[in-house]
Amino acid sequence: MASTDPQDVQMQPVEDKEETPAPLINTPEAVKTAEKAALNVHKKINLQAAPIRSYLEATVVPTLMQGLQAVCKERPENPVEYLAYYLLSHNPQKPKTPAGKAEPMADAPPPA
C-alpha cells in the first residue's frame, strides 16, 4: 500500500512554458475598440444555429410575453384570437412601408 504522507512525496520542478504575452490594452480608445469588437462578434451569432431555448428567448418570448400581459389586462372574450392579433400587429420583423410605418393588416379583427 502506498504511503500518502506529505513528507514521502517528492516535489518535481515545474517547467516554464514559453507563452507569448497578450497584447496590452492601455488606452481608453483601445478598450472601447476591443469592447465594440467583442459585442459585434456576439451580435453576429447565427440564431439558426442556437439551441431552441436561446432561439425562442431571442426571437419569440419578448413579444409573446407582452401579448400575454395584454390578454391578462384586457381579458377579451376570445383570448386566443386576441393574442394572435396582438402578435401579428406587434411583430418586430413585420415589413415597413417607405414612411417607416407598419403595413396595415388585411382581414384582421380589431382587438376586443
Side-chain angles (χ1 to χ4, degrees), residues 6-49:
Q7 294 176 350
D8 292 343
V9 176
Q10 293 181 352
M11 299 294 286
Q12 295 181 358
V14 176
E15 295 179 23
D16 289 333
K17 295 180 181 177
E18 290 186 29
E19 294 182 15
T20 56
L24 297 176
I25 300 176
N26 53 8
T27 63
E29 294 82 19
V31 171
K32 288 180 184 177
T33 303
E35 285 178 359
K36 285 182 183 178
L39 289 174
N40 285 337
V41 168
H42 180 69
K43 288 179 185 177
K44 291 181 182 177
I45 293 175
N46 185 356
L47 287 176
Q48 297 298 327

Side-chain angles (χ1 to χ4, degrees), residues 25-81:
I25 300 176
N26 53 8
T27 63
E29 294 82 19
V31 171
K32 288 180 184 177
T33 303
E35 285 178 359
K36 285 182 183 178
L39 289 174
N40 285 337
V41 168
H42 180 69
K43 288 179 185 177
K44 291 181 182 177
I45 293 175
N46 185 356
L47 287 176
Q48 297 298 327
I52 293 171
R53 182 178 181 127
S54 297
Y55 170 77
L56 292 174
E57 285 177 352
T59 59
V60 177
V61 171
T63 307
L64 180 61
M65 292 302 293
Q66 292 171 356
L68 291 173
Q69 289 173 348
V71 168
C72 291
K73 182 179 177 183
E74 297 293 327
R75 297 193 180 240
E77 277 187 39
N78 189 342
V80 174
E81 184 176 319

